[in-house]
Amino acid sequence: MRKTLLFFVIILIQAALTVSAQKKEPQPVNQLVIIANNPGPVISKDIYGHFSEHLGRCIYEGLWVGPDSKIPNTYGIRNDVLFALREMKIPNLRWPGGCFADTYHWKDGIGPQEKRASIVNVHWGGVTEDNSFGTHEFMKLTELLGCDAYINGNVGSGTVREMSEWVEYLTSDADSPMTRLRKENGRDQPWKVKLFAIGNENWGCGGNMTADYYAGVMRQYSTFLRNYGGNELYRVACGPSDFNVAWTETLMKDPSTRDMFQGLSVHYYSLVGGWDHKGAATGFTEGEWIRTFRANFRMDEVIKDHSAIMDRYDPEKRKGLVVDEWGNWFDVEPGTNPGFLYQQNTLRDAITAAIHFNIFNNHSDRVKGANIAQLANVLQSVILTKGEKMVLTPTYYAFRMFRVHQDANLIPSSLKCEDYTYDGITVPALTASASTDNTGKLHISIANLNPGKAITLTCPIIGVTFRKITGEVLTAQKMGDFNDFDKEETVKPTNFTGFNYKDGTLTVTMPSKSVVVIELSN
Ligand code: AHR
């Protein structure tokens, strides 16, 4: 109701601005009306979450090099990556998969390294997994990052006992076989685990279950995932992929099913032309550029479709939608193991990230978490490594710029903008969102998707005035520019001054193909 009223107010303001503009001068085509004195829901920091799977070089090399490596590390975790992720303000990290999660038996990955079981990673390249990175190493990683743990349990090939004992091992401080085992392995105090997923893609690699069957299994597993001591798990049930609303309906309709979880996941990847034409991550055409963004904008429809069902059964929005896998999925880099899903990352990916962040922010009443796939060396990564070298990708910089929105209050805004059309495809040329943090600073994040045109955006800011304005911009000479090993960084944020603020209206001139974040304060 409040949202509808607000929407109505914004429309009225826009209409009033249009009438007054018509009287005096031509109305701006591109306008973002911001109601700064009417904060909305908190944008959960978990919307800026990440995902690390035992897949290719994500865990091994990307994060974990082992304490004996010549690559500088802390307890085996590479220092360059730790530093970069802290800077980016990573809020949570999902692990150990993905499809790998439903093949993972956590007891293989604890205890002395030399005694750990080696297994075959059947989903990803059939390589040997020596389990040298397990529960203790992951929890140490989250401690060093200062982020929350998001653990994905094994429903597909595990047991209720196995999952329930994992939670006990991690979080209990009672005297029990699991806590004694943890202590034997060198950890006295329980850890805190914030998010726990009950299986991954159980409609597919996680067991090929029907929605009804999974709903029953999930209820059983969830019953034995206890809250120990002061730890309260946010249980995430496996949700649908893409537009499978029937799955959501099944998980949501029965109160005794939905009472068993706090969050419902959804996975949606952006593909240039379907699974048969993913296209190259670099050296792409403008046709592929715009098709990528068209796919990215469908995230908004995915969220709206699943939210509509959730709204029917949970109008108070107690259940969160957790988009715990998203991002651009391109062809693997030529010459690399196809099972490792390694792709480069260009300015296009940074704009993709901005489109997603603005969509998530604007749906923060329902979207309570999101995890890009994946952290390092896999799909749309923020970090690429080659031996001891590390590259920060354009997507990394988008995350770093948008960190200001974490746990801020969404500021309602309404964007009216021109189209960007190419090759018979049309998308909005701009995307935007705004928030106010707990010090009263207003942040506005905008992206211009058009690679050939700067765009001026007029932003009337209603209700609050500001004295100080700063900005950062991420752009590059070419659409396909990327950061590479042994080269100077070409895509990184710089100071932005292309704005003007007068009589409560901010005017921003967005360079072509750019992401801008503006801060207004007093
Ligand atoms: O991120 C790669 C894979 O994509 C994940 O393992 C799986 O959950 C999804 O299908």
Side-chain angles (χ1 to χ4, degrees), residues 245-315:
V245 288
W247 184 281
T248 303
E249 176 82 30
T250 303
L251 270 288
M252 287 299 297
K253 68 180 177 207
D254 177 355
S256 53
T257 301
R258 66 173 187 268
D259 276 356
M260 302 307 289
F261 61 83
Q262 287 73 46
L264 184 68
S265 74
V266 60
H267 291 179
Y268 171 74
Y269 285 99
S270 294
L271 302 155
V272 168
W275 289 103
D276 295 334
H277 180 73
K278 298 201 283 298
T282 57
F284 48 81
T285 62
E286 188 170 342
E288 290 175 301
W289 163 273
I290 196 168
R291 282 176 176 79
T292 305
F293 299 146
R294 178 178 64 178
N296 297 159
F297 275 114
R298 296 204 79 195
M299 177 60 90
D300 194 54
E301 296 166 45
V302 167
I303 292 172
K304 280 184 179 143
D305 284 5
H306 295 293
S307 296
I309 293 170
M310 295 177 85
D311 286 350
R312 268 214 322 274
Y313 298 111
D314 172 37

Side-chain angles (χ1 to χ4, degrees), residues 51 53 55 94 97-100 124 200-201 203 205 267 269 325 329 341 373-374 378-379:
F51 169 34
E53 180 165 9
L55 194 177
R94 178 173 179 245
C99 292
F100 181 80
W124 307 118
N200 168 74
E201 296 194 351
W203 36 261
C205 65
H267 291 179
Y269 285 99
E325 288 186 30
W329 192 320
L341 310 183
Q374 300 190 1
V378 173
L379 300 177

